Amino acid sequence: MRVQMLGLCRFSYVGLRGYQTRHDSYDERRAYLYEPGRLARRWFWFTQVALPAWQAQSDADFTLVVMTGPDLPEPYLSRLQQLCEQMPQLRLELVPPMERHLQACHAAIAPHLDRSADVIGHFRHDDDDAVAVDYIDRTRRDFRKVKGLWKAEGRLSLDYSRGLMMRLDGQGMQVTPRLCHNMGVALTVFLRPDAPETALHFDHSKIGMWMPGVAVTKPLMFVRSIHGDSDSGDMGPGQGWQMTPEQIDRQLWQRFRLRRDGLEQAARALPG
């Protein structure tokens, strides 16, 4: 059974729905998203936190669609185009502002669906989070173990629940180990190739309303960033678990290709 792994990452996309922070007009939304300091910070999160593990995936057979608007200010539009030229797994989709956010997400994903695949593993990825370097490989292997559940309904979620909550600003970094179910990051939604939905069509916090789900609690699989520009600014429900600072720093590098010192130094240079 061939699985296409297909993800969507929204980078400052000007849409009126789909986020917890809301605006009444496209102009208000655009002004908020395109504020120069905010764009500089989002570029930092995307390139310094999210991208390293995608570049280091042990299974390189995946597609991550980066969705933004055609009027994304320079130099960020050109930088995104250059990144997608350098990394074949990244595909840039310029989607005009749309009120119906799910329709916009589907417009970004649809050109990249492999209709010849047996199943599509859809995932969402926020531009400030990270998944482990073996996320794609483990997802494919673990799906094979539970594919009978998918065959019964044509829908299945596979959730990697063990992660790190990272608060990072000019004052330094705080990392909290956390076991959280269906956070959205490192959560894969398996659908048939002809399904009209993407991962964004299902509220990850209520995903059990639409499909059966499997939670995999090991190994460490995600980093979720919490900062002033976060759409959701808290850790949410979950259980803590213990790691020493040395273990955290070692796992940040081994699992996500992140270095504490480098991130803290770069964060200090960001505009406030």
Side-chain angles (χ1 to χ4, degrees):
M1 180 174 284
R2 190 164 68 84
V3 178
Q4 180 194 18
M5 292 295 293
L6 179 60
L8 180 65
C9 178
R10 302 166 296 177
F11 186 85
S12 295
Y13 172 68
V14 180
L16 292 185
R17 302 184 186 182
Y19 301 93
Q20 294 189 38
T21 303
R22 296 184 178 274
H23 297 91
D24 294 328
S25 70
Y26 291 121
D27 288 341
E28 288 183 17
R29 186 88 184 143
R30 184 179 287 105
Y32 169 77
L33 293 176
Y34 290 174
E35 189 275 320
R38 185 185 186 280
L39 277 176
R41 294 189 296 273
R42 299 312 297 197
W43 187 252
F44 162 78
W45 291 109
F46 181 56
T47 58
Q48 302 301 311
V49 176
L51 203 57
W54 287 121
Q55 294 171 321
Q57 284 296 307
S58 56
D59 180 349
D61 183 14
F62 68 93
T63 297
L64 180 61
V65 178
V66 181
M67 170 185 174
T68 192
D71 63 344
L72 180 71
E74 295 290 0
Y76 301 104
L77 182 56
S78 294
R79 289 177 179 178
L80 281 177
Q81 291 168 333
Q82 184 177 15
L83 274 178
C84 293
E85 291 171 359
Q86 295 171 346
M87 185 175 171
Q89 293 88 352
L90 296 184
R91 308 290 175 82
L92 183 62
E93 285 291 335
L94 305 181
V95 181
M98 299 174 66
E99 182 177 358
R100 297 192 177 278
H101 192 73
L102 295 180
Q103 183 180 350
C105 292
H106 191 268
I109 283 290
H112 305 281
L113 285 165
D114 182 354
R115 305 291 182 179
S116 67
D118 298 298
V119 57
I120 311 293
H122 291 270
F123 58 92
R124 60 187 292 170
H125 191 79
D126 288 349
D127 59 9
D128 54 359
D129 292 339
V131 294
V133 295
D134 56 353
Y135 164 68
I136 297 295
D137 175 56
R138 285 184 176 269
T139 298
R140 277 202 171 93
R141 285 192 284 146
D142 287 339
F143 174 75
R144 289 197 291 268
K145 299 174 185 177
V146 297
K147 63 183 180 182
L149 289 172
W150 174 80
K151 287 182 178 180
E153 297 191 29
R155 291 179 175 181
L156 176 70
S157 68
L158 180 65
D159 171 46
Y160 291 106
S161 309
R162 189 173 296 267
L164 301 174
M165 301 295 183
M166 181 176 71
R167 295 183 183 271
L168 176 63
D169 56 30
Q171 305 303 312
M173 179 193 293
Q174 295 179 328
V175 180
T176 303
R178 196 86 165 160
L179 191 68
C180 307
H181 296 294
N182 298 322
M183 288 296 297
V185 58
L187 172 68
T188 309
V189 176
F190 295 95
L191 301 172
R192 294 189 175 95
D194 59 352
E197 301 92 358
T198 70
L200 274 295
H201 282 75
F202 305 99
D203 182 340
H204 58 85
S205 66
K206 304 174 183 177
I207 200 164
M209 295 176 62
W210 296 286
M211 66 191 73
V214 175
V216 181
T217 57
K218 291 183 179 180
L220 180 63
M221 195 58 81
F222 71 84
V223 172
R224 181 167 180 263
S225 299
I226 302 172
H227 51 86
D229 293 316
S230 297
D231 192 44
S232 176
D234 56 46
M235 288 194 292
Q239 297 81 42
W241 51 285
Q242 297 300 314
M243 295 176 70
T244 67
E246 293 76 17
Q247 288 173 326
I248 289 174
D249 287 353
R250 186 164 57 249
Q251 288 293 291
L252 281 172
W253 172 250
Q254 291 177 352
R255 301 293 292 154
F256 308 101
R257 295 298 185 266
L258 302 177
R259 296 282 195 192
R260 178 188 292 267
D261 291 346
L263 288 174
E264 288 184 331
Q265 181 177 354
R268 285 194 290 270
L270 289 174

